[in-house]
């Protein structure tokens, strides 16, 4: 049918989880700081979600 599979498009920030650690580089600086909304261009809800997931990944030592 006309259903779109998640693999057919890029993930929205809302859909990113700990299994997408490889994509977090877009949202952090080289030193590991989380970029502000003015730079990432995310809305507030997306930014909070990304921040939460990045902090979880840091705590689990999944990010360098």
């Amino acid at each position: 049918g006309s259903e779109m599979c998640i693999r057919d498009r890029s993930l929205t920030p809302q859909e990113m989880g700990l299994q997408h650690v490889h994509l977090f580089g877009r949202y952090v600086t080289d030193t590991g700081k989380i970029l502000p909304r003015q730079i990432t261009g995310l809305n507030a809800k997306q930014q909070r979600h990304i921040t939460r997931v990045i902090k979880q990944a840091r705590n689990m030592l999944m990010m360098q």
Side-chain angles (χ1 to χ4, degrees), residues 11-17 42-47 49-50 53:
L11 291 168
T12 65
Q14 239 82 14
E15 295 167 338
M16 288 186 186
L42 301 177
N43 64 36
K45 189 174 183 180
Q46 291 171 328
Q47 184 74 19
H49 177 77
I50 286 294
V53 177

Side-chain angles (χ1 to χ4, degrees), residues 5-20:
C5 181
I6 286 182
R7 296 183 195 279
D8 295 342
R9 58 180 174 75
S10 59
L11 291 168
T12 65
Q14 239 82 14
E15 295 167 338
M16 288 186 186
L18 290 175
Q19 65 274 29
H20 305 108

